[in-house]
Amino acid sequence: MEQEGLDHKVIGIGVIGMGGFGLFAVQQFLQTPNTRLVAIAGSKREEAIATAKRFGAEQLATLEELVSHPDVDVIYIATPPFLHYEQSKLALNAGKHVICEKPLAMNPEQGREMLELAASKGLLMVTNLMQRYNPMFARVKHLIDKKLLGEFLHGYFENYAGDEGLSPEHWFWDRSKSGGIFIEHGVHFFDMFAGWLGEGKVIASQIVKRPDSQDIEDQVQATVEYGDDETGKKLVNFYHGFTQTGRMDRQEMRLLFERGDITLHEWVPTRLVMRCVADEETTRALMDLFPGAQLNVTANIGGDDRTLKGRHKTFEAYQQIELKFGFGDEKQHIYSELLRLMFRDQATAIHYPDTHRIVSEHNGLESLITAMEADRMARQL
């Protein structure tokens, strides 16, 4: 459905870094009404040539030509992290809005400078942290905030990532170009849990190097503390390992509550499995929150057994259940929709600067600060 008010000006997009993912993302951005791909800069890659042909875009030799193009309103940057700072500054100084792939920059100092420059010119400087646009994210947020399974107690994210496409010479392994796994990749998940639980504090972190390699760091983990003494402190463990054959690439999150737990599958969560004990009212609320979910009854609870205890608390339950949700959804289609929603949100802000955005400049900087602290702490050991 087209958003009212987006029909009075076409938003022109310019792209720096038109590789495979750049093509995928731009295809989604251009489904926002009244947008067009104006130009691609500095790339002769097959994807860039194909995209220019498909959308009738110009191919420009230099970034300077792109950022000075009068028909370009927003620059999308999909280059390796070490280029984000200079390329974003170039675009901002030319008066262009910027949407940049994660991370915002290589360190928080660069990030703050970029955001201050954008703010001084009334421009967007947004990191593509599209996870918060996932309806699953909002459902889990509601589950936590409404305490449908009691208090949130603990969480983890485990990323068993494939590395088949990452040769030993790939920039991903070069910390001077990627910033390392926490910064290049971990920001997505630091931002996601911050959205659920508030800003966190890194309290432990480790890095593991691959044996017999040229200093390749392929596993990292961090523990982040959320909450305080008054609200109750909660710990979340984050693990990223780029060690798997591509066929075994998989991700899993688990959130533990007082009366059950949920497991989310995929790095863009598409499927949920919940196991819990619940009373009648809670079961109704859960089915409203996860419409169309499959509910399996593990056990009926009756009589005196309805009163359960945990954490020195007493509560009522009439069933032990397993709930499955989202198993019919195609991951790539959901990913596409999140990119569309993210871009449409930012396009609205270009037209109406005071509008609320689900993801703003704050997300890119705060997730980078957490990632940098995890990386710093791991290197102190």
Side-chain angles (χ1 to χ4, degrees), residues 201-206 221-225 235-238 377:
K201 175 185 176 183
V202 181
I203 61 171
S205 183
Q206 297 84 33
Q221 65 181 24
T223 302
V224 181
E225 182 181 81
L235 300 180
V236 177
N237 298 326
F238 297 86
M377 189 174 292

Side-chain angles (χ1 to χ4, degrees), residues 273-276 294-298 320-324:
V273 177
M274 176 188 298
R275 299 175 180 88
C276 68
Q294 178 190 95
L295 187 149
N296 298 311
V297 178
T298 303
Q320 181 179 350
I321 61 174
E322 177 191 75
L323 186 148
K324 293 184 176 181

Side-chain angles (χ1 to χ4, degrees), residues 169-190:
E169 298 76 29
H170 196 282
W171 61 260
F172 179 85
W173 305 116
D174 185 342
R175 284 180 46 81
S176 69
K177 295 181 178 179
S178 70
I181 293 174
F182 282 127
I183 290 170
E184 196 283 334
H185 199 72
V187 289
H188 265 310
F189 311 99
F190 291 140

Side-chain angles (χ1 to χ4, degrees), residues 44 163 180 204 207 283 290 299 318 323 333 362:
K44 298 296 183 183
D163 70 343
I207 288 175
T283 303
F290 299 102
Y318 86 119
L323 186 148
H333 295 175
H362 168 85

Side-chain angles (χ1 to χ4, degrees), residues 310-335:
R311 301 190 82 212
H312 301 152
K313 296 179 180 179
T314 301
F315 54 91
E316 295 262 316
Y318 86 119
Q319 284 181 334
Q320 181 179 350
I321 61 174
E322 177 191 75
L323 186 148
K324 293 184 176 181
F325 177 76
F327 281 75
D329 297 329
E330 172 59 49
K331 179 179 73 171
Q332 203 74 346
H333 295 175
I334 293 174
Y335 194 6

Side-chain angles (χ1 to χ4, degrees), residues 189-237:
F189 311 99
F190 291 140
D191 182 64
M192 180 183 294
F193 276 86
W196 285 333
L197 303 173
E199 292 182 12
K201 175 185 176 183
V202 181
I203 61 171
S205 183
Q206 297 84 33
I207 288 175
V208 176
K209 293 184 179 181
R210 184 173 297 180
D212 303 321
S213 72
Q214 295 297 316
D215 213 32
I216 286 178
E217 298 172 350
D218 64 354
Q219 296 179 77
V220 302
Q221 65 181 24
T223 302
V224 181
E225 182 181 81
Y226 298 89
D228 51 37
D229 290 333
E230 183 177 342
T231 61
K233 294 180 179 180
K234 292 99 174 174
L235 300 180
V236 177
N237 298 326

